[in-house]
């Protein structure tokens, strides 16, 4: 081969130098490594994307479950006014949906000093329904809740069976524009806190609870008002029925007396003067009875329909009371009854309406004089009891059956009588007494035992009208 032939050999057939070859191999390995890393990153991103997609699907499914439960509760609130049924369903559904160990709904007392677990659901844990918590014992917890703020904690507690376990608690206040009603408690044995989505959902549930509670309480209040109206209507009808009978009796007696008197009258005079005189006495008596009944009825109607404040006058009670009691001394002596008066000297001057108070005492003493048998006693005592004047009128020798004590201050109730004053009793005296005592912001009740009746009244030393 000559020189010209060597020069004609193609360049690609020439072998590279070792350094160039090593560089090319190194570059190729670097490219392969980068491709592998990129493939790993792509696979990681795919896994992460799939995980996020699954979490997103779970969130969507959970939101759908939340919305389904909210719709379910809304339908129950719409169709039922029974908050017990609705709140029981809520505790059960929350345990199942949020995988809780326990769900409780506690309600505050009116003074917001305690909260009672009224509704509870737990499949495994001990039940605490009916347990009352004093707010002052847990100020840090209830300070937030009473301010309508969410409260959450995670702590390690002894397990129900053995060992220790994590307990995550979430409390959400139940409230509306009228005020706070209680709290929903979620308890789950896990380290993870309740998420924002769960908290937001629980707040919506708490709003539904407030609606259910208010709606039920409004229905209960309305039902109670209806029952009270029906009761008052029955009482009014019964009152009118008894009133017509009370009014008819004197009129019937008057008619009979007039007819009898007419039959005794002749052109020359009355056939029997003695019988005529008796008939005139009956007419006088029955007219007086009718007149007293009408007066008592008008007084009762006036007190019920006029709400003006009493006219207050400051009196020295012992000095003022004695003459009123002593005015009955002659009556009790004639009926062989003993009248006793015991007034404490510690009673300070106090303000009252002396017209009303005198009528109260007079009506009760009239009742006492009619009730007490001969030889028995009527005792009037007055004493200072805290910030009130306590006045008692006690009658011995007579007793009210226990089952009738609640009827004493009802219209036309009559205590058993032992004197000739019975015809003068209209049956409105005791209800007039109760009405006037209440008008003076006082209290009255009656006790009866051991062959004795005692009327007990309390009047404030400084009444506020």
């Amino acid at each position: 081969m000559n020189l010209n032939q060597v020069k004609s050999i193609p360049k690609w057939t020439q072998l590279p130098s070792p350094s160039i070859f090593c560089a090319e191999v190194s570059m190729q390995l670097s490219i392969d490594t980068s491709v592998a890393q990129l493939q790993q990153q792509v696979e990681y991103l795919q896994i992460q994307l799939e995980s996020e997609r699954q979490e997103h699907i779970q969130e969507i499914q959970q939101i759908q479950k939340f919305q389904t439960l909210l719709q379910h509760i809304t339908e129950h609130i719409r169709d039922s006014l029974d908050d017990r049924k609705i709140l029981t369903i809520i505790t059960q559904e929350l345990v199942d949906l949020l995988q809780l160990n326990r769900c409780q709904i506690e309600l505050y007392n009116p003074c917001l000093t305690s909260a009672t677990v009224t509704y509870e659901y737990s499949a495994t844990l001990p039940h605490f329904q009916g347990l009352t918590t004093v707010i002052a014992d847990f100020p840090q917890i209830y300070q937030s809740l009473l301010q309508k703020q969410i409260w959450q904690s995670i702590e390690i507690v002894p397990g129900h069976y053995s060992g220790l376990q994590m307990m995550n608690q979430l409390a959400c206040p139940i409230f509306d524009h009228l005020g706070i009603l209680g709290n929903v408690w979620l308890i789950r044995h896990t380290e993870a806190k309740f998420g924002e989505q769960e908290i937001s959902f629980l707040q919506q549930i708490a709003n539904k609870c407030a609606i259910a509670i208010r709606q039920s309480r409004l229905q209960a209040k309305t039902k109670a008002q209806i029952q009270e109206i029906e009761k008052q209507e029955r009482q009014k009808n019964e009152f009118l029925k008894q009133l017509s009978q009370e009014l008819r009796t004197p009129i019937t007696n008057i008619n009979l007396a007039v007819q009898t008197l007419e039959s005794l009258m002749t052109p020359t005079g009355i056939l029997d003067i003695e019988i005529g005189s008796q008939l005139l006495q009956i007419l006088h008596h029955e007219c007086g009875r009718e007149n007293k009944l009408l007066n008592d009825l008008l007084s009762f109607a006036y007190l019920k329909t006029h709400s003006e404040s009493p006219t207050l006058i400051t009196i020295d009670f012992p000095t003022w009371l004695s003459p009123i009691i002593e005015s009955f001394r002659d009556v009790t002596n004639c009926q062989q009854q003993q009248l006793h008066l015991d007034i404490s000297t510690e009673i300070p001057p106090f303000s009252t309406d002396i017209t009303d108070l005198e009528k109260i005492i007079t009506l009760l003493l009239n009742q006492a004089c009619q009730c007490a048998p001969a030889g028995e006693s009527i005792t009037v005592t007055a004493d200072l009891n805290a910030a009130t004047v306590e006045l008692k009128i006690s009658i011995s020798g007579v007793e009210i059956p226990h089952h009738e004590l609640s009827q004493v201050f009802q219209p036309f109730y009559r205590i058993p009588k032992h004197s000739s004053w019975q015809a003068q009793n209209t049956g409105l005296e005791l209800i007039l007494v109760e009405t006037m005592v209440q008008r003076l912001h006082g209290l009255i009740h009656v006790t009866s035992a051991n062959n004795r009746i005692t009327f007990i009244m309390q009047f404030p030393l400084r009444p506020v009208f």
Side-chain angles (χ1 to χ4, degrees), residues 115-185:
T116 302
V117 178
T118 312
Y119 304 93
E120 180 185 44
Y121 182 76
S122 175
T124 57
L125 298 179
H127 293 276
F128 294 97
Q129 187 162 336
L131 178 68
T132 297
T133 300
V134 178
I135 304 302
D137 293 342
F138 302 91
Q140 294 181 346
I141 297 175
Y142 285 97
Q143 183 177 3
S144 298
L145 294 174
L146 288 173
Q147 293 176 356
K148 304 175 184 179
Q149 298 175 357
I150 292 287
W151 182 85
Q152 184 172 190
S153 73
I154 298 178
E155 55 185 331
I156 299 175
V157 297
H160 179 50
Y161 297 104
S162 61
L164 301 176
Q165 61 184 7
M166 301 296 298
M167 184 173 69
N168 189 358
Q169 298 183 89
L170 175 65
C172 180
I174 301 171
F175 64 93
D176 58 11
H177 68 286
L178 296 176
I180 192 161
L181 300 167
N183 306 295
V184 183
W185 284 84

Side-chain angles (χ1 to χ4, degrees), residues 75-326:
E75 291 174 355
H76 274 288
I77 294 175
R78 181 194 63 200
D79 299 335
S80 173
L81 296 176
D82 186 358
D83 63 330
R84 294 172 299 178
K85 178 180 178 182
I86 296 170
L87 298 180
T88 299
I89 291 174
I90 287 175
T91 56
Q92 295 175 354
E93 294 286 352
L94 285 176
V95 168
D96 295 337
L97 181 58
L98 301 178
Q99 298 180 350
L100 306 174
N101 295 94
R102 186 198 307 278
C103 178
Q104 296 174 335
I105 295 178
E106 63 178 7
L107 300 179
Y108 291 113
N109 66 342
C111 300
L112 301 180
T113 57
S114 66
T116 302
V117 178
T118 312
Y119 304 93
E120 180 185 44
Y121 182 76
S122 175
T124 57
L125 298 179
H127 293 276
F128 294 97
Q129 187 162 336
L131 178 68
T132 297
T133 300
V134 178
I135 304 302
D137 293 342
F138 302 91
Q140 294 181 346
I141 297 175
Y142 285 97
Q143 183 177 3
S144 298
L145 294 174
L146 288 173
Q147 293 176 356
K148 304 175 184 179
Q149 298 175 357
I150 292 287
W151 182 85
Q152 184 172 190
S153 73
I154 298 178
E155 55 185 331
I156 299 175
V157 297
H160 179 50
Y161 297 104
S162 61
L164 301 176
Q165 61 184 7
M166 301 296 298
M167 184 173 69
N168 189 358
Q169 298 183 89
L170 175 65
C172 180
I174 301 171
F175 64 93
D176 58 11
H177 68 286
L178 296 176
I180 192 161
L181 300 167
N183 306 295
V184 183
W185 284 84
L186 308 184
I187 300 172
R188 189 164 59 192
H189 293 164
T190 177
E191 298 181 4
K193 283 190 172 184
F194 289 93
E196 293 182 1
Q197 185 174 323
E198 293 175 317
I199 293 174
S200 175
F201 169 67
L202 183 59
Q203 289 174 324
Q204 297 179 63
I205 291 293
N207 292 337
K208 298 294 183 182
C209 291
I211 294 173
I213 294 170
R214 289 294 187 195
Q215 185 173 269
S216 178
R217 290 182 178 180
L218 179 60
Q219 184 214 21
K221 183 178 180 180
T222 303
K223 185 177 179 180
Q225 290 175 340
I226 292 174
Q227 291 175 344
E228 182 62 25
I229 291 172
E230 292 175 347
K231 177 184 176 182
Q232 292 178 357
E233 187 68 20
R234 289 193 301 270
Q235 290 177 342
K236 183 187 74 174
N237 293 334
E238 183 64 24
F239 177 78
L240 292 175
K241 178 182 176 181
Q242 292 179 345
L243 178 61
S244 64
Q245 293 174 350
E246 294 291 335
L247 291 171
R248 187 181 298 116
T249 301
I251 292 176
T252 300
N253 293 336
I254 291 171
N255 285 332
L256 289 174
V258 169
Q259 292 173 10
T260 306
L261 188 59
E262 286 178 346
S263 66
L264 294 175
M265 296 180 67
T266 64
T268 59
I270 299 177
L271 296 178
D272 192 326
I273 298 298
E274 184 177 353
I275 294 178
S277 178
Q278 293 176 355
L279 292 173
L280 287 174
Q281 288 181 356
I282 292 174
L283 288 172
H284 179 74
H285 182 274
E286 295 299 329
C287 286
R289 179 181 175 185
E290 190 83 358
N291 185 59
K292 186 175 186 302
L293 177 59
L294 291 174
N295 287 335
D296 286 350
L297 182 62
L298 289 172
S299 298
F300 177 67
Y302 179 85
L303 291 172
K304 286 295 186 181
T305 56
H306 290 71
S307 58
E308 66 267 17
S309 299
T311 303
L312 300 182
I313 298 176
T314 302
I315 61 172
D316 180 1
F317 188 66
T319 304
W320 177 86
L321 181 61
S322 295
I324 297 174
I325 306 301
E326 289 299 326

